[in-house]
């Protein structure tokens, strides 16, 4: 049994999900709505491309318990825990200590609740490429995250969560995370230098994340949490044109899936993709090319976003599943 599944739904109908005792998370996109007190709800301040309004819904196989611990909101079902933490920035050049504190709290809450393993973290904050106090804000964020992860993880380079770090349109540092009682397996990409080993030219502390995390929820039930994947080969950015960057990104995704497939009895299939685009691109040709290259047509969400390197125009993250549930609405397919 999968302990939860993730789906995209029409945002206008998403509010109904709040009455569902199996709702783990409801994430909306675009302009932040009136903040809700419900620990299961979150808002990612990024505009959706293509005129659709989508909500991301995490549905638990069992009833969910919610709460707030160390300032971190959470919802859990005894196997997995959804966490979120939002911090106001008191000064634009204090992102490093703020990030370190946010991660310390995330770990404190996850540990206290009995889900000590962070599988996946989503990071959003504004002005990601802006220089502040002599350091780009993304690099300051990386330094703060590194500081916290080195302190919290006993085996730093082998137990890093999958992640993405995205420039958002609203103030505040927003972290979302998925944690579990039992650890997942870190997957790296043979086409790319592991981010935690990037050379010094990319900042004083390397980005501390894994390319993906593979989690077995049963003998034949796997989730692959795929980090933000971009047009990077080795450690260098490639191509100036967005469609060329897309091609390289797809090669990276395929290499990553192949790497994970070495550990699973059946091949993993992309089940959900989030595509961040720096320019205001038309999603239709991107979608078409992704479907063709991956030989899969998963639900996709296209968001206008700043990416952590100025020259990067596209980044893709998501979830792959193996084997794919036959009918995701059927209870035993969860
Ligand atoms: C890269 O591969 C592109 O800092 O958490 C992708 C995924 C990227 C996660 C992060 C950054 C992060 O380096 C950028």
């Amino acid at each position: 049994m999968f302990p939860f599944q993730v789906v995209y739904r029409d945002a206008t109908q998403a509010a109904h999900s709040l009455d569902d005792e199996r709702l783990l998370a409801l994430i909306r996109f675009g302009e932040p709505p009136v903040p809700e007190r419900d620990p299961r709800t979150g808002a990612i301040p990024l505009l959706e491309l293509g005129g659709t309004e989508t909500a991301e819904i995490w549905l638990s196989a069992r009833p969910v318990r919610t709460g707030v611990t160390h300032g971190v909101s959470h919802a859990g079902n005894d196997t997995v825990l959804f966490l979120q933490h939002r911090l106001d920035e008191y000064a634009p050049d204090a992102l490093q200590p703020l990030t370190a504190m946010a991660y310390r709290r995330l770990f404190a809450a996850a540990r206290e609740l009995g889900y000590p393993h962070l599988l996946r973290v989503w990071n959003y904050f504004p002005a990601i490429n802006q220089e502040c106090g002599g350091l780009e804000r993304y690099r300051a964020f990386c330094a703060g995250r590194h500081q916290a992860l080195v302190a919290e993880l006993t085996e730093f380079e082998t137990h890093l969560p999958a992640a993405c770090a995205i420039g958002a349109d609203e103030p505040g540092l927003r972290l979302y995370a998925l944690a579990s009682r039992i650890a997942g397996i870190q997957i790296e990409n043979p086409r790319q230098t592991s981010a935690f080993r990037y050379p010094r030219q990319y900042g004083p502390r390397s980005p501390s994340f894994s390319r993906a995390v593979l989690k077995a929820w049963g003998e034949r039930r796997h989730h692959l949490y795929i980090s933000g994947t971009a047009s990077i080969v080795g450690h260098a950015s490639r191509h100036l044109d967005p469609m060329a960057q897309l091609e390289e990104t797809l090669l990276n995704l395929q290499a990553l899936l192949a790497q994970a497939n070495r550990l699973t009895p059946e091949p993993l299939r992309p089940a959900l993709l989030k595509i961040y685009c720096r320019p205001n691109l038309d999603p239709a040709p991107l979608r078409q090319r992704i479907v063709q290259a991956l030989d899969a047509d998963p639900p996709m969400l296209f968001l206008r976003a700043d990416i952590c390197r100025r020259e990067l125009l596209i980044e893709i993250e998501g979830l792959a599943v193996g084997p794919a549930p036959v009918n995701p609405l059927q209870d035993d397919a969860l």
Side-chain angles (χ1 to χ4, degrees):
M1 230 177 42
F2 285 105
F4 74 109
Q5 60 170 345
V6 188
V7 296
Y8 291 146
R9 292 245 172 98
D10 188 326
T12 55
Q13 279 152 43
H16 299 301
S17 309
L18 290 169
D19 301 328
D20 191 337
E21 60 171 11
R22 295 178 313 160
L23 182 78
L24 257 184
L26 165 57
I27 298 162
R28 296 185 176 98
F29 304 89
E31 285 168 34
V34 194
E36 275 173 87
R37 293 250 161 261
D38 195 315
R40 301 169 300 174
T41 61
I44 295 175
L46 295 175
L47 285 179
E48 209 171 316
L49 296 172
T52 43
E53 268 188 75
T54 306
E56 179 176 317
I57 290 174
W58 297 20
L59 273 181
S60 165
R62 292 183 301 279
V64 163
R65 252 193 316 214
T66 66
V68 181
T69 305
H70 297 289
V72 175
S73 311
H74 50 82
N77 68 3
D78 231 31
T79 305
V80 291
L81 185 71
F82 167 73
L83 303 130
Q84 60 168 323
H85 192 38
R86 186 181 176 277
L87 283 171
D88 287 322
E89 285 190 68
Y90 48 90
D93 60 355
L95 186 56
Q96 175 181 341
L98 196 76
T99 303
M101 185 171 79
Y103 268 83
R104 290 299 202 120
R105 288 185 179 171
L106 217 54
F107 272 101
R111 286 220 171 93
E112 206 168 294
L113 295 160
Y115 305 80
H117 304 284
L118 290 190
L119 302 176
R120 176 67 165 97
V121 186
W122 288 261
N123 307 278
Y124 300 92
F125 53 93
I128 190 167
N129 303 125
Q130 203 165 294
E131 268 208 25
C132 253
L135 193 63
E136 185 191 31
R137 276 164 54 81
Y138 173 62
R139 296 177 179 199
F141 160 84
C142 283
R145 175 173 58 178
H146 182 274
Q147 187 185 333
L149 288 176
V150 163
E152 297 284 350
L153 299 173
T154 42
E155 294 156 290
F156 177 73
E157 294 201 346
T158 53
H159 287 77
L160 287 166
C164 56
I166 297 292
D169 300 334
E170 293 285 331
L173 173 65
R174 286 178 168 82
L175 303 186
Y176 301 84
L178 169 68
S180 61
R181 298 212 187 272
I182 300 163
I185 298 170
Q186 178 170 336
I187 307 287
E188 293 299 311
N189 190 332
R191 298 185 86 235
Q192 299 186 300
T193 308
S194 291
F196 51 86
R197 298 224 177 102
Y198 281 171
R200 197 37 222 268
Q201 75 198 76
Y202 299 102
R205 288 288 179 273
S206 60
S208 311
F209 67 94
S210 62
R211 296 297 177 190
V213 167
L214 179 67
K215 186 75 182 89
W217 297 116
E219 225 175 287
R220 290 181 60 254
R221 294 261 183 271
H222 290 84
H223 271 171
L224 183 71
Y225 307 105
I226 302 170
S227 288
T229 304
S231 179
I232 295 176
V233 179
H235 55 73
S237 307
R238 291 271 176 94
H239 316 291
L240 300 173
D241 168 69
M243 286 314 268
Q245 287 200 5
L246 175 65
E247 289 304 316
E248 203 70 70
T249 300
L250 288 167
L251 290 175
N252 281 331
L253 284 175
Q254 283 163 329
L256 192 60
L257 283 167
Q259 196 70 3
N261 282 341
R262 294 164 55 166
L263 303 178
T264 60
E266 278 138 294
L268 297 153
R269 308 273 301 158
L272 207 67
L273 296 176
K274 212 173 275 156
I275 299 101
Y276 301 102
C277 305
R278 187 185 290 274
N280 225 308
L281 300 172
D282 174 7
L286 302 176
R287 181 192 298 273
Q288 197 185 359
R289 184 57 199 133
I290 294 168
V291 169
Q292 194 181 34
L294 298 181
D295 190 25
D297 192 0
M300 298 182 209
L301 177 59
F302 294 83
L303 298 166
R304 219 301 304 157
D306 292 336
I307 296 163
C308 61
R309 292 188 191 179
R310 274 166 213 279
E311 68 276 13
L312 291 177
L313 306 175
I314 286 188
E315 185 173 305
I316 301 181
E317 54 130 304
L319 171 68
V321 175
V326 184
N327 174 1
L329 297 176
Q330 226 173 302
D331 258 2
D332 69 40
L334 278 170

